[in-house]
Amino acid sequence: MANSQRSVPNILVTGTPGVGKSTLCEQLAERTGLEWLEVGQIAKDCECFEEFDEVYQCPVLDEDKLIDEMEDKMGQGGKIVDYHGCDFFPERWFDIVFVLRTNNTVLYDRLGHRGYTGKKLEDNVQCEIFQTILEEAQEAYKMDIVHELPSNTPDDMEENVDKITAWVEEWKLRALS
Ligand code: DAT
């Protein structure tokens, strides 16, 4: 359950790799003053990887270890977390969840530019087509805190940053009153 007592909210930004999570979070952190916790970086720093998945060519996350590592910071509030998965985080951590969505052809090009090829590229694009992360978020969190946001163009990005910043400001004002 979300903790409505927090004076500054915790935000989760999720979605398929390449939809724009890091780009959005970096800009959001600048605009809102909230602290961006890069899960990928934290996992590397605290050696929260168990093994290497040869099929997907990526390390497998030790989720319990990562959660222990992040717990204290999340308890402080005012954190922005981004990750391409969302159902293993404690539900109580987040006050709002944004799922970024990108059209298949746009995502295909972005991941291609990132150097993804073959199965890794196809599987990630399919993940987006099948709305896998959106459904994961809807199952893991209360429906009314999960919001889908388009992330195809720079205008979408700007609009998303504006909307989320306004939401954070409203939260802070409510917390003061
Ligand atoms: P993620 O963190 O979800 O893996 P990213 O922020 O690294 O994604 O973005 C991947 C690339 O796509 C990067 O070159 C920036 C670009 N991009 C992301 N969102 C975009 C948007 N809404 N409009 C245009 N380009 C975008």
Side-chain angles (χ1 to χ4, degrees):
M1 204 168 57
N3 178 354
S4 57
Q5 303 306 308
R6 274 190 276 267
S7 58
V8 198
N10 283 333
I11 298 174
L12 174 63
V13 177
T14 188
T16 309
V19 293
K21 299 181 294 298
S22 321
T23 311
L24 177 75
C25 289
E26 192 177 4
Q27 294 185 24
L28 267 182
E30 252 185 59
R31 284 275 297 275
T32 62
L34 268 60
E35 185 185 3
W36 172 28
L37 301 184
E38 284 181 81
V39 170
Q41 193 56 48
I42 295 170
K44 262 188 220 158
D45 294 346
C46 70
E47 297 177 352
C48 294
F49 292 117
E50 286 176 320
E51 59 203 83
F52 195 79
D53 186 319
E54 293 298 338
V55 178
Y56 291 99
Q57 291 292 299
C58 64
V60 179
L61 194 60
D62 180 342
E63 296 168 351
D64 292 338
K65 191 170 178 192
L66 179 84
I67 285 166
D68 284 349
E69 198 64 36
M70 293 174 67
E71 186 73 70
D72 286 351
K73 284 211 157 205
M74 295 307 295
Q76 298 163 359
K79 305 293 181 251
I80 307 170
V81 172
D82 81 296
Y83 197 60
H84 57 266
C86 58
D87 60 356
F88 63 90
F89 296 119
E91 190 186 352
R92 65 187 152 75
W93 274 7
F94 298 107
D95 300 296
I96 199 158
V97 177
F98 296 102
V99 184
L100 302 189
R101 302 300 311 279
T102 300
N103 295 340
N104 327 332
T105 46
V106 176
L107 186 63
Y108 197 94
D109 287 347
R110 282 189 201 160
L111 292 177
H113 276 121
R114 191 183 269 186
Y116 283 23
T117 54
K119 183 168 170 55
K120 189 167 180 170
L121 176 57
E122 301 296 334
D123 284 354
N124 277 292
V125 173
Q126 274 207 12
C127 170
E128 187 59 9
I129 293 171
F130 290 126
Q131 313 198 128
T132 311
I133 310 279
L134 176 65
E135 286 176 13
E136 188 179 315
Q138 288 169 337
E139 278 167 26
Y141 301 90
K142 281 202 200 135
M143 278 292 213
D144 61 337
I145 71 157
V146 177
H147 302 271
E148 195 179 348
L149 295 175
S151 179
N152 296 301
T153 63
D155 280 353
D156 288 341
M157 181 64 68
E158 205 179 316
E159 201 172 306
N160 292 339
V161 174
D162 286 347
K163 268 192 201 159
I164 300 172
T165 303
W167 180 87
V168 171
E169 292 310 318
E170 259 178 50
W171 177 287
K172 287 187 189 165
L173 284 177
R174 264 204 318 271
L176 282 176
S177 62

